Amino acid sequence: MMTTTDLKDFGFRELGIAARLLTALCKERPGFLGAGVHLMMNMHSGYVFLTDEDFNVGMMNGDALEQWHSCPECGAEGFAEDLPDDPCCQAYLEEVRA
Ligand SMILES: [Zn+2]
């Protein structure tokens, strides 16, 4: 995956998203991020996100910092509300929330 943690590679738009992520982090520490949290950008998609050493990912969903999920069974990706109603995705979400 084409990712970078080097802020030199972030454009103005990406730095703006990074700032919003950090602002959200100032307000509330999300429970899904553990140790080794850092900012990262996907240079291919332009997505900017927070990630930890266990590859948990947090992105801005509107004004909220939310966990970005990827179903280990079918590979579906998105915020909780975006994952399909498939049994594998719903079982995964239940496990994550437990
Ligand atoms: Zn699935």
Side-chain angles (χ1 to χ4, degrees):
M1 198 155 77
M2 296 257 299
T3 57
T4 182
T5 58
D6 189 342
L7 294 178
K8 163 179 75 61
D9 296 331
F10 286 47
F12 287 119
R13 190 191 74 91
E14 288 79 21
L15 283 173
I17 299 169
R20 292 180 64 214
L21 285 165
L22 292 179
T23 301
L25 201 58
C26 288
K27 288 184 191 141
E28 193 184 353
R29 289 246 166 197
F32 59 85
L33 291 173
V37 178
H38 50 281
L39 277 166
M40 190 174 263
M41 175 177 73
N42 181 318
M43 294 167 79
H44 183 68
S45 65
Y47 283 161
V48 180
F49 47 93
L50 289 164
T51 186
D52 67 10
E53 62 188 16
D54 294 322
F55 307 108
N56 294 304
V57 171
M59 285 179 44
M60 294 309 292
N61 185 9
D63 287 330
L65 171 57
E66 287 185 11
Q67 186 167 8
W68 180 261
H69 299 281
S70 43
C71 175
E73 289 266 330
C74 69
E77 290 193 331
F79 298 110
E81 69 208 37
D82 301 325
L83 283 190
D85 274 333
D86 299 348
C88 59
C89 302
Q90 295 305 315
Y92 156 78
L93 277 179
E94 261 176 51
E95 201 178 295
V96 169
R97 284 168 173 159

